Amino acid sequence: MAKTALIIGGGFAGCAAAHQLALMGGWKVTLVEKQSELGAGVRTRWYGGHPFTFGPRHFLTPWEHVYGFLNEYLPLRLLKHEFITYVESDQEFYNFPIHRDDIDGMPDREKIDNELEQRVGLESAKNLEEYWISSVGPTLYEQYINTSSKKMWQVDDNREIDTFSWSPKGVTIKEGSRDAWDSRFSAYPIAPDGYNSYFDIATAEAQVMLGTTITDYDIPNRSVVLNGEKKRYDIVVNTIPPDVLYEFEHGALPFVGRDLHQMVLPMEHCFPPNVFFIYYAGQEKFTRLVEYKRFTQHKSPTTLVAMEIPSKNGKHYPLPVLSEIARAQKYIDQMPDQVFSIGRNGTYLYQVDIDDCIAQAMEIREKLSS
Ligand SMILES: Cc1cc2nc3c(=O)[nH]c(=O)nc-3n(C[C@H](O)[C@H](O)[C@H](O)COP(=O)(O)OP(=O)(O)OC[C@H]3O[C@@H](n4cnc5c(N)ncnc54)[C@H](O)[C@@H]3O)c2cc1C
């Protein structure tokens, strides 16, 4: 008889888990999603005839097998990809990560070069502010990081952010290529509706319950109340914040939300070639602008740009604060064997992206197969 699996949440991680169980065979999968559609923010929607997602959502991975896997089910187009940042004090757009060649053209170059020579080691850095000042000096920290990080994380002081492995994208000052990530696959689905068909492929064999919220969780017994009925499963794959499953018994996990504002502009393109999004590092209310066409390659005489504004709406960004990560881990540690918590919110790790969701779903399959 088939074993039973419950998947909580139908975002990328939940769908990827359903797909791996289907490929394994022998599983009867129920996927519960509170919204009326699968995919969450990765789902393509349309505005003014243009396809868009909630934020950029392009596919980046260092792992060839993860790229190859997705590409098999959802053909991908490889893309060149640069980030730029607007630095208001210089009235200039510069590369991000900070690029060595840009520094040479900056009005403050002598001061910055002096500061770079006097840098101390990173080993003693205890928070984001110390990390960045010791990596790039106070002037570049002020121009690129200070205000943008406070805006991104909705904090008054960057010393509150005490984990920062995510922030430099692996590098603080880059040399050579201006590609955002040199050694990774940077891609986007070729299909005009982006990832949407993948959500259907991945869940084709599952019982998908849309517009459904579980009211009662009994995680130690891998059991929940669904539509008024108590059900027990052989395995549970959770992709929602783990505090919800335990009635917040160790306290609620904090998140930063986002509002997205779309605008169609009367021109074919407005960003430089290869630039998908532009960060705004200063007092602007928004963190970045995205020009979707740059990666969707949608053809139109107009272009769609969206603006991301940090807000309290939605659980989009788990805070990179060690005490909160430890709080999340407390919840995860008390999950029994055969309950897996994956995805960005399921692990409470900001650095979990689309490729990580696939890799984590593959790991579940490996564990269940061993
Ligand atoms: C603005 C933004 C831009 C991003 N851009 C990129 C990018 O360019 N490239 C990249 O690789 N990654 C990007 N990411 C990260 C990546 O998209 C996420 O890591 C990934 O989509 C997370 O998927 P998930 O399934 O873990 O979570 P989610 O997408 O949050 O899915 C969880 C699902 O669970 C559902 N749910 C919640 N509570 C319940 C409940 N109680 N019962 C049932 N269902 C519930 C939700 O409705 C949702 O559908 C971005 C993230 C954000 C926020």
Side-chain angles (χ1 to χ4, degrees):
M1 210 167 91
K3 284 181 271 179
T4 56
L6 172 70
I7 300 177
I8 309 169
F12 214 103
C15 292
H19 195 188
Q20 291 300 326
L21 293 174
L23 292 172
M24 232 182 127
W27 289 94
K28 185 169 179 282
V29 176
T30 304
L31 184 153
V32 178
E33 166 55 50
K34 76 171 175 189
Q35 301 294 338
S36 57
E37 290 174 314
L38 295 171
V42 188
R43 187 165 195 94
T44 292
R45 299 183 163 82
W46 281 265
Y47 179 80
H50 290 265
F52 77 98
T53 45
F54 193 101
R57 317 281 181 157
H58 64 299
F59 185 73
L60 272 168
T61 188
W63 302 307
E64 191 164 359
H65 72 286
V66 174
Y67 171 82
F69 175 81
L70 187 61
N71 190 40
E72 186 185 332
Y73 294 95
L74 180 76
L76 299 167
R77 178 189 285 121
L78 286 167
L79 298 161
K80 278 187 82 65
H81 165 212
E82 295 172 17
F83 291 156
I84 54 175
T85 294
Y86 183 60
V87 174
E88 205 263 339
S89 56
D90 290 7
Q91 298 178 17
E92 274 294 352
F93 290 95
Y94 295 129
N95 238 82
F96 192 80
I98 302 169
H99 200 281
R100 178 63 244 180
D101 296 350
D102 285 339
I103 297 172
D104 296 335
M106 287 179 182
D108 291 322
R109 63 186 164 277
E110 280 177 30
K111 191 165 134 205
I112 292 167
D113 277 334
N114 270 335
E115 290 172 0
L116 290 176
E117 272 172 34
Q118 286 163 26
R119 278 180 298 181
V120 288
L122 293 174
E123 304 76 39
S124 59
K126 288 185 289 301
N127 55 56
L128 184 138
E129 181 172 291
E130 289 181 15
Y131 177 84
W132 274 97
I133 292 180
S134 36
S135 308
V136 304
T139 304
L140 290 175
Y141 169 72
E142 200 50 46
Q143 288 179 332
Y144 284 83
I145 307 297
N146 187 9
T147 311
S148 79
S149 169
K150 288 177 185 160
K151 181 161 65 172
M152 167 89 188
W153 298 112
Q154 299 282 282
V155 293
D156 296 325
D157 188 331
N158 282 328
R159 286 171 296 186
E160 288 176 41
I161 306 297
D162 52 13
T163 172
F164 32 79
S165 53
W166 56 271
S167 63
K169 315 281 184 204
V171 66
T172 50
I173 297 186
K174 206 163 186 284
E175 299 191 24
S177 151
R178 284 176 183 262
D179 279 7
W181 282 278
D182 291 328
S183 59
R184 293 188 169 197
F185 295 88
S186 169
Y188 199 76
I190 294 169
D193 62 352
Y195 299 90
N196 292 6
S197 59
Y198 178 69
F199 304 131
D200 298 333
I201 293 167
T203 60
E205 292 181 26
Q207 179 198 10
V208 176
M209 300 176 71
L210 297 174
T212 307
T213 306
I214 294 166
T215 45
D216 229 323
Y217 297 93
D218 175 5
I219 294 301
N221 290 310
R222 302 190 303 272
S223 158
V224 298
V225 177
L226 244 184
N227 291 338
E229 210 185 314
K230 191 159 174 131
K231 299 209 165 164
R232 191 168 196 274
Y233 297 86
D234 293 314
I235 67 163
V236 176
V237 179
N238 171 57
T239 71
I240 70 171
D243 53 355
V244 176
L245 308 190
Y246 288 96
E247 290 181 348
F248 309 98
E249 64 183 42
H250 306 301
L253 294 165
F255 287 85
V256 182
R258 280 289 180 280
D259 292 334
L260 190 81
H261 298 274
Q262 304 96 290
M263 61 204 106
V264 173
L265 300 177
M267 56 194 59
E268 201 175 343
H269 292 288
C270 62
F271 286 8
N274 303 334
V275 171
F276 302 172
F277 38 97
I278 305 179
Y279 288 113
Y280 283 77
Q283 296 298 340
E284 310 86 3
K285 289 259 181 285
F286 48 96
T287 48
R288 63 182 168 188
L289 300 182
V290 184
E291 186 181 17
Y292 290 97
K293 266 185 164 185
R294 288 291 180 210
F295 51 92
T296 62
Q297 312 237 328
H298 175 65
K299 302 275 178 275
S300 166
T302 61
T303 192
L304 177 69
V305 170
M307 177 187 277
E308 282 176 52
I309 302 182
S311 75
K312 294 192 181 343
N313 298 326
K315 294 184 175 182
H316 294 291
Y317 291 95
L319 273 191
V321 170
L322 292 174
S323 57
E324 298 303 340
I325 293 170
R327 189 195 303 281
Q329 198 54 46
K330 234 176 178 175
Y331 286 112
I332 294 167
D333 287 346
Q334 73 193 69
M335 293 180 182
D337 279 354
Q338 312 302 321
V339 176
F340 305 91
S341 203
I342 63 165
R344 183 176 276 197
N345 290 356
T347 55
Y348 196 74
L349 292 173
Y350 159 71
Q351 61 268 31
V352 168
D353 276 340
I354 294 169
D355 62 328
D356 301 290
C357 293
I358 298 174
Q360 290 168 350
M362 287 173 160
E363 271 172 39
I364 294 178
R365 180 178 170 186
E366 271 165 37
K367 278 190 196 143
L368 293 172
S369 307
S370 64

